[in-house]
Amino acid sequence: MVTSFTVKSVATFIGKEKRLGRFRDLVSLSSMENQTKNKIYFHYNHTDSCNSARWTARESYQFMYERPWQDVLHFFSNVVNARLTLSTMFGTDNSPQTCIDVVDDDYKTSEVCDEKEERCGRWERVTFKIILSYSGYAFDGWQKQPGLNTVQEIVEKSLGRFVDDKKARLLKEKSKPLEGCAVVAGRTDKGVSAIRQVCSFYTWRKDVKPCDIEGEINSAAPGKLRVVLVSEVSRVFHPNFSAKWRRYLYIFPLNDQENEKQCCENEKEVESFSFARNCNEPSNKCVESSSSENVENLIIGNNKEFEAPTCFSVCRVNQLLRHLEGKLLSYKMFARDTKASRNIGPPTECFMYHARAAEARIPCSVHEEGRKVMCVELVANRFLRKMVRVLVATSIREAAAGAEEDALLKLMEATCRRATAPPAPPDGLCLVDVGYTDFNPKNCLIP
């Protein structure tokens, strides 16, 4: 039997198949949503005596973000534009950056002088070290991304004026914009400020002067991005690989009702709170819930019978951090959004030179004496992704819970990153400087 097909019948058949295919997609999508709703979530449950007094992820998030961050952003903006210095917080005039500048200048001058005699041929290129200062709130981070306002994009567009003829011709042939290439010491996330970020740029042009680069970048985003220093360095200089240490400063604003006396008295309440809640909760290592609603309730922790501590001691945070000094440790539990290759082994290890916390004050229009803040200063050979923000948030959480002094060291041995707190807001984080000589503890802001 021979069946004849017309154009109309074929079109009808194809239309039915398409509708059937869309129906299958909807069915599969619905089944995936049902699987997601019925997915079992596991939440890390600490087994020490402070387990019940420790904030949940939601409580920690709310405690960190419900702050007068606008005062910190305003202070960083003044520091970026050289109207204030970091030493203003501690009421001193000596800034550690002054000593670092002198050391770097000696290092740069000696290498450039030795190298000028060796330059020849196509390797006779000029490398510039550029120290930048920028406000984090004005940019979407350092790394260039399509459709976003990033520091790297602005800097490289400004450097396009100083590109040599050969590279300019190649960029034109590939229909690419005329931009320079800036290599940075460390990429900062969205909202993170920098006072002495270091990047480098090289060109084969001999007529480029440091003052030309400085003027071009300063005119790109006035008030938000500023060049601190431009100098000629050796061509072997690399902002990232040549660095020996990096210094970060986190400024955590304290609310008006928070003071050291309340925090010290609150430590006594932690013990009674922990004992009362432990009598009513099991001590499992993981808490399990079978639906998204239960998970949300678990994170929020709406337990009206008990009230978690809402204050912490700055001196306790300092004690927790000082246990990290002088040790090479794996900070994989304090990292976020890292590649799989950097989750195990030496790539997760960092050597902490300096880790301190202290009270300070920043200028504030509401308070004549200034806004009281907690400053956390961290200096290490390197830092993992979001490591500083997680470390600060976890230290505050552990201090509020009344944990032991070695609590951060014990968290290194955890098997799940839920053991640490969510990252603190990026508004309080600032990359202070990058060092290319041996670390000198005398240059620290917090002794």
Side-chain angles (χ1 to χ4, degrees), residues 407-422:
L408 297 179
L409 294 176
K410 292 180 178 178
L411 287 174
M412 305 277 182
E413 304 173 357
T415 58
C416 178
R417 286 179 175 173
R418 294 187 182 93
T420 54

Side-chain angles (χ1 to χ4, degrees), residues 284-302:
N284 299 330
K285 202 155 192 177
C286 289
V287 179
E288 183 178 320
S289 60
S290 59
S291 67
S292 57
E293 295 181 358
N294 291 337
V295 171
E296 185 176 357
N297 293 334
L298 178 64
I299 293 177
I300 296 176
N302 289 328

Side-chain angles (χ1 to χ4, degrees), residues 240-275:
N240 188 9
F241 301 141
S242 301
K244 293 188 176 181
W245 51 265
R246 293 143 173 96
R247 185 203 313 268
Y248 278 92
L249 183 72
Y250 196 95
I251 300 180
F252 185 77
L254 301 177
N255 291 324
D256 297 336
Q257 65 273 17
E258 293 175 346
N259 55 61
E260 192 68 21
K261 183 178 180 181
Q262 287 179 345
C263 295
C264 293
E265 292 177 353
N266 190 67
E267 290 181 355
K268 299 178 181 179
E269 300 177 3
V270 170
E271 298 181 1
S272 58
F273 168 81
S274 178
F275 174 78

Side-chain angles (χ1 to χ4, degrees), residues 160-176:
R161 175 186 167 189
F162 310 105
V163 171
D164 55 274
D165 296 336
K166 183 179 180 180
K167 184 173 182 179
R169 187 170 58 255
L170 291 175
L171 292 173
K172 185 177 180 180
E173 292 175 356
K174 296 180 180 180
S175 300
K176 294 184 177 181

